[in-house]
Structure formats: structure tokens, C-alpha cells
Amino acid sequence: MFGTFTRNAEIDSRKRLQCNECRRQTIHTLEAQCVGRWHEEHRFGAIYGWTEFSLYRCGACDEVCFEKKSYFSEQYDNDDDGTIRLIPDEVQYPPPSSADFAFNTEYTPADLNELIEEMLYALAGSKLKLATVALRMVVEFIVNDTKCAGRGLQKKIEDLHTKGHVDEVQLALLHKIREKGNAGAHERIAMSRNEMVAGIGLVNLLLERLYNGPARQADVIKKANHAFKS
């Protein structure tokens, strides 16, 4: 529960956000903002945090979106010079979307859909390091969910090829996603936006081959069997 909740009267801020109406990133103006703060004392010290509730308006089309940004004293990172920087959890409503990075999740597992949504949100917010790692996690989820054999992601991706789900070119590209995902996690090296969009296209092929295509085929056959029996 917040200890204080106040409205910021003096606001003059703009930021680049994904606009669902424009279907691209545009400059948004901050129109209103409230901040809730909390503080708790414990035996080993105090913890604290705050949440910013912000209303933004797109500068290109006037569409409005809402952003919630939460900070917690125990969720932080260190800059290169050693300065502590709190890492916020950010959520945008409605969730950002784009024609450039979209998945067909018609028949995919709910846990995979949740992971994909988190990755797309990171990408829409230009958090390319997080999106890079998340794309690797999406590939890892798929090979695990489809029971690919092998120890480690490299071997499991190879098994996708062995089973005939990807060709040689797709195999090499999936290894690129794995390698760049590793670099994102361990060295904080992000894919470019173009690389992310290309990787998403490749994963979409996997979703079609392993989930959506077979499920649609099963539906068609089921309906056909029912029709010809009647």
C-alpha cells in the first residue's frame, strides 16, 4: 500500500513510445502523471519504492496510452562507473503492437504466448538487450516443448533439423539467435532492431510448422469427417 499518492502538477516531458494507432514508434507527450510511494522498515534495514502512473498522447495521431513504471530499492544494477541505478518494471496499456513484429499465436501454448508478449513489449520499448535474451528464450521454449533431444540449446536446435522441421539455412539462423542471445545475457550485447524483426519472422515459421499448421489441419479433417458422416 502506498504511503503517499500525489499528482505531479508541473510536467514537461516527451518520450518515444509504440503507438497502436500509428503502428510504429512516435514521440508522445506526457499529459498527466501521479506517483505513489511506499517505505517499509525491517530488522535488516529499510526497503522502499514508488510507481509512476503516466498518461501519454501520441504526437502524430493524438491516440492516448497509459504507462505504469514501478521502482523497487532491491531491484537495481550498477553502471560502468559503479553508480547504483534502479531498474523499473514498465507496462504500457494497451499493450504495444506493430505490423513489423507480430506472431500468429492461434494454437500456441499459453506459456509461450506470455513469453512472446513480454519479448514484444521489450522490443516495442526499444529495450533491445531484454528483447534479444527473450527471443533466445522463445526458441529454447519451442525446442523443449516439442521434445527435441540433446543436452543444451545447441544440440536441441540441431535435433530440429534432424527431425526435418528446419532446413540448413534456417538451422544456421537459429544458431545465430542462440549465439546473439547468449551475448545479450552474458555480455549485454543486443541485436539490432532489424535482426530482431528477422528473428521473429524465423520463429513465426517454427510456430506455423510445429503448432498452427498441424492444429489447423486437424480442425479441417475433424470438420470434414463430421460433415461426411452427417
Side-chain angles (χ1 to χ4, degrees):
M1 181 178 293
F2 295 127
T4 63
F5 192 85
T6 58
R7 180 177 179 178
N8 287 343
E10 297 183 7
I11 52 175
D12 183 17
S13 176
R14 298 196 307 167
K15 69 182 298 187
R16 187 176 293 275
L17 292 171
Q18 188 76 17
C19 177
N20 284 349
E21 187 68 23
C22 297
R23 305 284 283 179
R24 58 187 174 88
Q25 287 199 337
T26 60
I27 299 298
H28 284 60
T29 301
L30 179 62
E31 299 292 345
Q33 186 179 73
C34 293
V35 181
R37 299 180 183 276
W38 60 272
H39 184 279
E40 295 179 4
E41 294 288 344
H42 292 273
R43 186 174 63 175
F44 299 106
I47 57 174
Y48 63 91
W50 67 93
T51 301
E52 298 173 353
F53 303 92
S54 304
L55 189 69
Y56 284 95
R57 178 171 56 89
C58 174
C61 71
D62 284 336
E63 182 72 8
V64 172
C65 69
F66 174 77
E67 185 184 65
K68 176 183 175 183
K69 185 184 294 187
S70 299
Y71 295 84
F72 176 40
S73 58
E74 302 304 301
Q75 185 171 305
Y76 60 88
D77 196 2
N78 293 304
D79 292 337
D80 293 337
D81 60 1
T83 303
I84 293 177
R85 176 178 58 87
L86 296 186
I87 304 172
D89 290 323
E90 299 177 73
V91 181
Q92 181 181 328
Y93 302 97
S97 62
S98 169
D100 291 329
F101 43 92
F103 280 93
N104 179 4
T105 55
E106 186 179 5
Y107 295 99
T108 51
D111 288 345
L112 177 56
N113 295 346
E114 182 179 351
L115 183 58
I116 286 172
E117 287 176 3
E118 291 181 3
M119 184 201 68
L120 292 181
Y121 188 82
L123 180 56
S126 296
K127 300 183 184 304
L128 291 176
K129 295 184 181 71
L130 293 177
T132 295
V133 175
L135 181 59
R136 182 196 182 281
M137 292 172 65
V138 168
V139 172
E140 188 168 23
F141 183 101
I142 291 171
V143 296
N144 286 334
D145 188 57
T146 52
K147 305 296 188 295
C148 288
R151 186 171 182 177
L153 182 56
Q154 181 176 358
K155 295 295 184 183
K156 291 179 180 180
I157 290 175
E158 294 285 348
D159 195 45
L160 268 181
H161 178 255
T162 301
K163 291 179 177 178
H165 296 314
V166 297
D167 59 24
E168 292 285 347
V169 174
Q170 293 168 334
L171 174 66
L173 292 171
L174 285 172
H175 281 310
K176 286 289 186 183
I177 291 176
R178 174 183 59 81
E179 293 164 1
K180 288 182 176 289
N182 289 342
H186 302 298
E187 303 170 41
R188 301 182 183 180
I189 300 175
M191 292 188 198
S192 69
R193 192 177 184 84
N194 286 340
E195 287 174 332
M196 283 295 306
V197 172
I200 285 170
L202 183 62
V203 170
N204 253 328
L205 293 178
L206 285 180
L207 299 188
E208 182 65 22
R209 181 68 178 265
L210 300 173
Y211 297 101
N212 297 320
R216 281 198 301 271
Q217 179 177 315
D219 282 350
V220 170
I221 292 173
K222 181 179 179 180
K223 291 175 182 178
N225 283 332
H226 178 75
F228 284 110
K229 285 180 181 179
S230 58

